[in-house]
Structures are given as C-alpha cells and as structure tokens.
Amino acid sequence: MQPAPSVSAARRGVLSRAFHCTALAWLATLPGTAHAQSPLLAVASAIPRAPRHTVLVVGDSLSAEYGLARGTGWVALLEQRLDVERLSARVVNASISGDTTAGGLSRLGALLKQHRPTHVIIELGGNDGLRGLPLADTQRNLTAMTRAAKGAGTQVLIVGIEVPPNYGRRYTEEMAALFTNVAKAEGTPLVPTLLAGVGDAEFQADRIHPLASAHPKLLANVWPALKPLLR
C-alpha cells in the first residue's frame, strides 16, 4: 500500500492544476489557438450574461393583463420587442389590478430594493380618477414615486391615462394635466396617455380595459419614449 502523500505534496498538486488551467486560458487568447479552447473556457463562455437593463413596470390593471390571456398584454409585448431590437434588458411586471398611486408608492421602496431596476415605468392614476380621489393627492404620490425611483439611480418614464368624460370636463382636464405637471417638474419623459389611438370597439365589455388586439397600440405609445432611455 502506497503511503499517503504529504500535505506539501497535495498542495503542489493543487498548484500544478491551477497553473495548468491558467496556462490553457492564456494560450487560448493567442493567435491561431482559438480552435484549442479549453473545456474550462468553453463552460465560462456558455454562462449567460446578466441583462444590461432591468425595466420595472409599476402599474394597474392596464398593465397587469386584466381580462387577457397571459402573455398578450403590452408589457409582455415589450419583452418581445426588446428581444427583436436585441437590447439587453429584462422586464419585471409589478402591476396589480386595482392599484392606485398611493398603493404604488407604498410598495415601490421594496420593489426598488428587490429588483434594482435601471428603469421604472410608472403607469398609475387611472383608479385614482375612477374613484374620484383628490387629484392633488394623486400628483403628490406620483411625484414621490418619481423622486424615490430617481433617488435609487433609475431612469423614470411616466405613463398618463385619461378618465371617461362623464366625470366632468374640469376633472378630466385636470387629470390629464397632472401627469404633464409631474413630468415637467421632475424632468422625466412622459407618455401623455397610454390608450391613445384605441377605438371604442377595441375595449372589453367593461369599456375600460382594451382587448388583447389593442395592446400593440399601447406598446406603440410607450416604445418611442422608452427606447431612447435604453441606449
């Protein structure tokens, strides 16, 4: 029976193998040796790189695919568009049906900490309007969300929404204006209204949520404002 190798001998073996791997890695960088790539380098090159950008969408039912088959809403279409454009980005959809600006503000801090996004899309305010909540509170919440996201080092895109005209001309006009007010005050890009170009026949029976067939239009409204931020 062979005697067990000494600690120093075992250590020399480890150092030898480490030197061998380092030498192979160096040789693979020399001209004419690309065909002789080591298994170690092959494994390393096969590991997918982390996306350059993380886009966090904080919205309500318009972004949460309410009444739609999964994967057919505008946020899912955004993921597909990023692939087509070969942009290194992943999308985190943190939208919740029925959410308000107050709800979004209350959970934004945890979302920023968990996902560490490079970009935040805020699509909230519609439910504030439908509930007739004070617009001053809505504007204050959107401002706080924008500042919190910017404070975490992200770029922010605000997406506006319009309420039905039966809420009265003054309320609907003030609702539309508050998104512009926040975007101007905070220096952030703005999509004036997510539902621009969606016709009456393109809504679900509730007359609030677009059909899946209309969601490419929603993405078409968002994409021109978002794309420059991803370069």
Side-chain angles (χ1 to χ4, degrees), residues 207-225:
R207 312 301 300 164
I208 295 175
H209 300 93
L211 298 167
S213 58
H215 273 256
K217 292 184 178 180
L218 275 61
L219 176 60
N221 293 330
V222 173
W223 183 247

Side-chain angles (χ1 to χ4, degrees):
M1 183 174 64
Q2 296 292 331
S6 65
V7 174
S8 59
R11 184 176 302 166
R12 285 196 298 272
V14 171
L15 292 174
S16 177
R17 288 191 294 272
F19 174 79
H20 178 69
C21 291
T22 303
L24 284 176
W26 175 75
L27 286 172
T29 65
L30 298 178
T33 59
H35 63 279
Q37 187 182 56
S38 72
L40 180 63
L41 290 179
V43 171
S45 63
I47 299 175
R49 295 181 179 179
R52 181 184 175 191
H53 304 296
T54 296
V55 180
L56 174 66
V57 182
V58 185
D60 51 34
S61 54
L62 294 175
S63 300
E65 297 185 324
Y66 178 87
L68 305 179
R70 296 286 78 84
T72 60
W74 76 267
V75 179
L77 298 179
L78 171 60
E79 293 185 84
Q80 299 174 22
R81 185 64 177 268
L82 292 170
D83 288 340
V84 170
E85 297 280 342
R86 297 183 180 277
L87 292 172
S88 177
R90 70 184 182 106
V91 178
V92 177
N93 192 354
S95 302
I96 298 177
S97 293
D99 204 8
T100 62
T101 56
L105 177 59
S106 70
R107 59 195 182 91
L108 179 60
L111 291 171
L112 293 172
K113 184 176 181 180
Q114 177 182 358
H115 300 291
R116 300 185 181 278
T118 55
H119 300 75
V120 174
I121 299 176
I122 303 175
E123 182 277 300
L124 287 170
N127 288 308
D128 296 49
L130 292 176
R131 298 178 187 181
L133 300 179
L135 296 183
D137 291 347
T138 300
Q139 183 164 327
R140 190 159 42 246
N141 292 334
L142 286 175
T143 298
M145 291 185 70
T146 301
R147 291 178 179 177
K150 290 170 62 178
T154 75
Q155 298 188 69
V156 178
L157 174 61
I158 296 174
V159 178
I161 193 67
E162 297 176 352
V163 294
N166 59 296
Y167 279 75
R169 180 177 178 180
R170 179 179 177 180
Y171 190 86
T172 55
E173 289 180 350
E174 291 180 352
M175 180 73 182
L178 73 84
F179 297 102
T180 301
N181 294 339
V182 174
K184 285 184 177 180
E186 299 304 319
T188 61
L190 170 70
V191 177
T193 175
L194 180 62
L195 300 178
V198 179
D200 292 342
E202 296 179 287
F203 284 90
Q204 300 177 39
D206 60 13
R207 312 301 300 164
I208 295 175
H209 300 93
L211 298 167
S213 58
H215 273 256
K217 292 184 178 180
L218 275 61
L219 176 60
N221 293 330
V222 173
W223 183 247
L226 176 62
K227 184 178 180 180
L229 304 180
L230 298 172
R231 297 301 185 184

